[in-house]
Amino acid sequence: MIRFLLNLLWLVFGGGLVLAVGYGVAALICFVLVVTIPFGVASLRLASYALWPFGRTLVPKPGAGVPSGLANVLWVVLAGWWLALSHILAGVALCVTIIGIPFGVANFKLVPAALWPLGQEVVETP
C-alpha cells in the first residue's frame, strides 16, 4: 500500500510523468532512426521505470554480453552522462526538503539506469 501511495505521489509531484514522457519521446526518436532501435528499447525501459520506481529495481539481464556492453559505452558518451547528472541534481534538490527525500532517493535509483540501461531489466522487489 505504501509503495502504491509513493508511486502515485511520485507520478504527480515527483516528476515521474515528465520523466516518462521525456524518455518516451527519446524512444520514438530512436525508433525513427533505425540504427538506434536498441537505444529506443532501453529508453522505453527507463520510461517504465521512471513512471513507477517504488517497489522495482534493476537487475542484470542474463545473456547480455559484449554487444550490450559496447552499446552502453556509446550510450554513456551520447546520453547517459547528462541523464545521470540531471537525476543526481534533481535528487539532491529533492533531498533538501524533508518531504522530498523519498523522491530524491527515487532519482538516485534512476542514476545507474540512466548510465547503463542496456543489459538490464526492471523487476519487482519482494
Side-chain angles (χ1 to χ4, degrees):
M1 186 62 182
I2 296 294
R3 288 180 185 171
F4 177 76
L5 182 60
L6 283 171
N7 279 319
L8 195 58
L9 290 171
W10 165 261
L11 189 65
V12 177
F13 299 114
L17 187 60
V18 174
L19 284 170
V21 168
Y23 282 125
V25 169
L28 289 176
I29 292 169
C30 288
F31 287 140
V32 168
L33 307 168
V34 176
V35 177
T36 57
I37 287 176
F39 297 119
V41 173
S43 291
L44 283 180
R45 187 177 314 112
L46 288 172
S48 157
Y49 191 41
L51 193 61
W52 212 252
F54 294 99
R56 299 167 75 190
T57 189
L58 282 174
V59 295
K61 188 183 296 185
V66 174
S68 80
L70 293 174
N72 273 326
V73 171
L74 185 62
W75 173 275
V76 167
V77 170
L78 297 177
W81 69 271
W82 64 267
L83 287 171
L85 182 63
S86 66
H87 284 300
I88 290 170
L89 293 174
V92 168
L94 285 166
C95 284
V96 169
T97 65
I98 293 174
I99 295 173
I101 290 174
F103 302 138
V105 171
N107 264 303
F108 293 140
K109 276 178 52 176
L110 287 165
V111 170
L115 272 177
W116 212 256
L118 297 155
Q120 304 274 344
E121 61 184 341
V122 180
V123 296
E124 299 288 325
T125 56

